[in-house]
Amino acid sequence: MSEPAQSKAMLIDEKGSSPQARQAMEQAMVSEESYGYGSYVPQMVSLLTKSAAIILFLYGGYGYNAIFLSRILIAAGNDHLVTPYAIMFNTFYILGLLSYIAGCFTDPGGIPDRWTSFVKKYDRYLPVANPR
């Protein structure tokens, strides 16, 4: 069950529930099943968009290395710039690709366990300022 459906399910208690709460729960369950295949459609759309972004990213890298560095820069008479440009571009290119892939596999809004353990360990030493 998705988070909105779970939050709506919390409206219903064991002793009794209001008609509005029951209706909200039914609508949440119906909206989850409206895809026909459960949650496969959103997962497939997500997979397709991530794959398309990686393909475009790879195509851009190929275009720079195969066209600009190996053809245009050499034809312009700047052979001596091919190696430094290739090193500089591909370094940032690989860092960008790794960053995108890491972002795809990270839970959005999730707090890493090492952060929560740090806060629990040093809670009394962390000053907290009141909002203005």
Side-chain angles (χ1 to χ4, degrees):
M1 196 182 304
S2 67
E3 288 181 291
Q6 287 176 349
S7 65
K8 289 179 183 177
M10 290 178 173
L11 295 172
I12 301 173
D13 57 24
E14 304 229 349
K15 295 177 183 174
S17 61
S18 67
Q20 293 90 2
R22 280 192 202 133
Q23 187 178 14
M25 182 63 181
E26 290 172 4
Q27 286 177 348
M29 294 178 85
V30 168
S31 67
E32 277 187 358
E33 297 171 359
S34 64
Y35 291 115
Y37 293 105
S39 64
Y40 293 123
V41 172
Q43 289 176 355
M44 290 303 294
V45 169
S46 174
L47 181 66
L48 287 173
T49 55
K50 290 175 186 177
S51 300
I54 290 176
I55 288 170
L56 289 173
F57 204 78
L58 294 173
Y59 181 72
Y62 168 77
Y64 184 82
N65 287 312
I67 297 171
F68 180 72
L69 290 179
S70 66
R71 294 187 182 161
I72 296 175
L73 207 57
I74 293 173
N78 293 325
D79 298 345
H80 61 283
L81 295 176
V82 171
T83 303
Y85 281 11
I87 291 170
M88 185 173 44
F89 174 80
N90 288 316
T91 300
F92 290 113
Y93 177 78
I94 290 170
L95 288 173
L97 184 61
L98 291 175
S99 177
Y100 178 76
I101 291 171
C104 286
F105 291 111
T106 303
D107 180 26
I111 299 173
D113 292 334
R114 60 188 169 101
W115 287 13
T116 54
S117 64
F118 173 80
V119 170
K120 287 178 184 176
K121 185 176 181 180
Y122 296 104
D123 184 31
R124 61 185 171 172
Y125 303 114
L126 298 172
V128 177
N130 291 327
R132 294 181 186 193

